[in-house]
């Protein structure tokens, strides 16, 4: 709905390897025509579109912890693209169908003991997911109904508004340093745009996971609600944002986010190579293996 | 008072069409010599200079709502330039002589059903007013004694300090999206410099008008006072800022604001063309006509 | 400890005149081997390294007010470089051995009535101290146990975390404008990174010195404690930061600070020339002489 001559938000075609090899059609639920997607469920994400309100809900349902695997990210991008191109859809609520966790972040198994090519493919999918969500023309509301570390936090940060269940048992943050890895510059840029430079500097260095009340205090999330009110609140916030004319709202959103989106677009391949060479270091691989074994023992 | 070799704040000659055609002298009150302006009243703005304190007061008096028409903006720029060049003047308090409204913002009649040339002339006047106020070497204090949407909010944001009457009946904000239009990047930059990126992103997308107490909470205004204390408070704040040595204060102000001022200066004509092509769209014209009719019915 | 191929924080060799003329060895305490410095005391700064924790303490002990003279800054840079190169040291707590004052800031006698060459040498030392502290790979905690105006405030701002004694008698801020001088752009950048653009704009223009409780309110310092708890608290904060893997923490810190560090590195000589031409102005020299005489009368 953005007319020509105006800078639209970032909408690049799906470009990474896997998507190019796999046709989109197998992901379509059987019995639905290709063009007007109204509701579709894939393996890892359930998408429902309420045509009367124009609001879709994306529910992450990839047990045990909605980790962002290559498959998950591929599905996420395809789902988002479908909604973006669907004229009946103006907003998306992103939430989890798994109790107690929104998303545990990037899937460590994709970064451990794999080939250089695999690391590259995975990282392009992470970039793509962020570019599409942070640059979406739709209104995006995160209904954070569980813990949301690292990449899970990034997804929430990339939405227009964040509502979180008020329980201090659930925490959120970019805790990469705790694992011995480093959030890339565009995670950092997204974080700084939400909480400011100082809070980001401290929180990123400490790899802090903030309990919901603390996260709310410094603006990492916009609002806290009891769990049973979350979906109702998300719908109300969505309605408030959808009351604005789409075109003016989209141009304004683009103006606010363009600099940060453009920075990754300009350095995308460099960022992939950085990731590959960092993650391929033996010291980093060792850290990740130890972390995974610790997780196994826990469960 | 800025010595050569030092980057002064932005002081460009009055450059838009109307000012070039109209000599300045008719705006001078009769009986006063041209050079040392001490007090002058035009059609739309009353200016009084207290020589003992070095403080001028600019009172907007353009009924019904101090809307920023081409005439108003022209007078505003000329008044500001006079004060800027007057060695007896070191600070300006900007306020309204109209009850309940500071300024209603850009005059929509200037943007509706006019020629391309007119849109260009009008937009250059808006730019000029902002460049002069945001880049003023004088101390500028906004005494916001009424509602202040859109362009009215921009004027307040461009001052060094904002005091607002504490009543929740008065609101302030950049509500352009509600009218289906988009605040230009330099409105946004000015806003971000005051309230930070996150608050600006949300407030601009929602086209939010914030009641005074809310605006104060997140720093859109610096201080709230009862209406009867406003002028006294503005004078006290002004005295505090004037206690600093002008030269060091001006250089510091320039250091803080230069990047944002330079950005418009570098893209000024491009910004004019963007405005013209945006405002000339039939869909935008239709929105504005509907909005004006709604306003007419209200009054 | 930063591997090749990764952008390290700024570590330039000591480059200003004095350091090049003076060999480092005379500053080494007698009886210690050159390489593994474990504890050393110079004229103006006492450095103690606790090998079990990896934490060094730098105590400013230059009466009467720890002013940042050329000698002080030289010693500061050499001390910091020694610690930076010492594998046993991972963090530094910066504090004062002088009651009631952390540091009074740049030594005005270095800027008054001296040669152009001296001004240049002095300013390079100020730059060097900031580049080394703001870009340190170590965890840096400021334990602010007294007032900390101007350059003293800059030192605190350049650390990773600031704890201040809670007494309202102690104040902190970049008050340069009050002396008729202007904080350079990199003081400003450091300040904006901590408190945001709006607070910095207002505070810098007013040359404000903020009592500790006020400074804490808007984030200029991170935490307030009673004086007797300061060292204990600093140690606890340090332990929290040292719990993170050094490498990931350092890369994250570099990512947050690199843009601002690079900006001075790119304009370093220009900044020296600006300082020299500004400080050599007769009007500025006069202001500084008056200020020094006022200080003399006070004491």
């Amino acid at each position: 709905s953005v007319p020509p001559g105006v800078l639209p938000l970032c909408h690049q075609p799906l470009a990474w390897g896997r998507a190019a090899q796999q046709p989109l059609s197998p992901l379509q639920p059987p019995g639905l025509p290709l063009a007007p997607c109204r509701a579709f469920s894939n393996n890892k994400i359930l998408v429902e579109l309420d045509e009367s309100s124009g609001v879709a809900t994306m529910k992450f349902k990839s047990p045990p912890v909605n980790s962002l695997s290559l498959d998950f990210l591929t599905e996420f991008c395809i789902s988002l693209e479908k909604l973006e191109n669907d004229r009946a859809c103006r907003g998306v609520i992103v939430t989890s169908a798994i109790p107690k966790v929104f998303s545990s972040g990037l899937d460590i198994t994709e970064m451990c003991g794999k080939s250089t090519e695999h690391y590259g493919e995975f990282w392009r999918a992470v970039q793509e997911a962020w570019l599409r969500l942070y640059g979406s023309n739709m209104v995006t509301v995160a209904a954070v109904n569980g813990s949301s570390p690292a990449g899970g936090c990034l997804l929430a940060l990339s939405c227009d508004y964040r509502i979180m269940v008020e329980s201090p048992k659930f925490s959120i943050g970019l805790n990469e340093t705790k694992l011995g890895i480093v959030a890339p510059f565009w995670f950092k840029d997204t974080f700084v745009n939400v909480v400011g430079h100082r809070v980001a500097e401290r929180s990123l260095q400490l790899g802090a996971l903030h309990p919901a009340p603390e996260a709310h205090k410094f603006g990492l999330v916009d609002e806290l609600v009891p769990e049973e009110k979350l979906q109702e609140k998300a719908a109300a916030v969505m309605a408030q944002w959808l009351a604005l004319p789409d075109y003016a709202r989209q141009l304004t959103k683009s103006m606010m986010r363009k600099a940060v989106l453009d920075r990754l677009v300009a350095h995308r391949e460099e960022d992939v190579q950085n990731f590959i060479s960092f993650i391929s270091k033996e010291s980093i691989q060792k850290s990740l293996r130890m972390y995974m074994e610790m997780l196994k023992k826990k469960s």
Side-chain angles (χ1 to χ4, degrees), chain A:
Chain A
S1 61
V2 176
V6 163
L7 277 173
L9 288 171
C10 174
H11 284 278
Q12 307 188 332
L14 290 165
W16 68 92
R18 165 165 300 225
Q21 288 149 24
Q22 268 191 353
L24 300 191
S25 46
L27 297 169
Q28 290 265 349
L32 274 181
L34 259 171
C37 71
R38 289 296 172 263
F40 49 92
S41 175
N42 297 326
N43 285 326
K44 295 170 189 309
I45 304 172
L46 174 67
V47 182
E48 293 168 319
L49 172 59
D50 176 347
E51 292 193 37
S52 65
S53 65
V55 178
T57 303
M58 286 180 74
K59 274 193 185 149
F60 301 157
K61 54 164 185 109
S62 181
V65 288
N66 289 329
S67 62
L68 306 175
S69 63
L70 181 50
D71 282 345
F72 186 105
L73 291 166
T74 304
E75 227 182 279
F76 180 78
C77 288
I78 292 171
S79 301
L80 211 55
E81 189 183 37
K82 278 187 190 177
L83 295 173
E84 201 84 55
N85 293 331
D86 188 334
R87 287 178 160 271
C89 181
R90 297 174 60 216
V92 190
I93 295 169
V94 180
T95 193
S96 166
I98 311 267
K100 295 182 189 167
V101 65
F102 179 72
S103 161
S104 64
L106 302 186
D107 188 340
I108 294 175
T109 62
E110 305 279 14
M111 304 192 262
C112 211
K114 295 287 199 306
S115 69
T116 296
E117 273 165 14
H118 185 85
Y119 295 150
E121 186 180 11
F122 176 62
W123 199 248
R124 280 181 202 100
V126 179
Q127 292 177 333
E128 189 74 26
W130 176 76
L131 288 169
R132 283 177 181 280
L133 183 59
Y134 198 62
S136 173
N137 266 322
M138 299 180 287
V139 173
T140 52
V141 173
V144 184
N145 51 350
S147 283
S148 196
C153 177
L154 181 75
L155 290 185
L157 286 169
S158 303
C159 290
D160 292 320
Y161 198 84
R162 283 155 290 287
I163 311 164
M164 190 165 177
V165 169
E166 66 191 358
S167 167
K169 284 187 214 159
F170 299 151
S171 61
I172 185 168
L174 294 173
N175 62 326
E176 280 80 355
T177 53
K178 279 240 176 80
L179 283 64
I181 58 175
V182 179
F185 70 86
W186 40 284
F187 279 50
K188 182 264 288 177
D189 289 343
T190 309
F191 198 28
V192 168
N193 270 357
V194 173
V195 298
H197 192 278
R198 171 58 189 155
V199 169
E201 184 182 88
R202 180 175 161 187
S203 183
L204 278 176
Q205 284 198 65
L206 290 173
L209 284 176
H210 307 282
E214 185 183 298
H216 179 245
K217 230 174 176 176
F218 58 77
L220 204 170
V221 296
D222 296 297
E223 205 164 345
L224 298 178
V225 292
E227 183 142 24
E228 66 274 17
K229 298 273 186 191
L230 182 62
Q231 298 311 322
E232 181 188 327
K233 186 72 206 179
V237 166
M238 180 58 81
Q240 184 199 8
W241 285 67
L242 289 181
L244 280 294
D246 279 338
Y247 180 52
R249 184 191 50 71
Q250 287 161 357
L251 289 176
T252 302
K253 180 173 178 177
S254 172
M255 179 171 65
M256 295 305 299
R257 301 192 165 187
K258 198 174 176 311
V260 161
L261 286 163
D262 283 355
R263 209 175 150 205
L264 176 58
V265 170
H267 298 280
R268 195 163 176 179
E269 200 48 34
E270 196 184 323
D271 183 59
V272 170
Q273 296 309 322
N274 273 349
F275 174 75
I276 293 174
S277 75
F278 182 85
I279 214 72
S280 303
K281 281 183 213 301
E282 185 40 39
S283 58
I284 301 298
Q285 285 292 312
K286 198 179 153 192
S287 292
L288 294 178
R289 279 193 305 267
M290 282 169 57
Y291 186 77
M292 280 169 63
E293 268 167 44
M294 192 197 75
L295 288 181
K296 269 182 208 162
K297 275 175 201 159
K298 256 192 178 175
S299 60

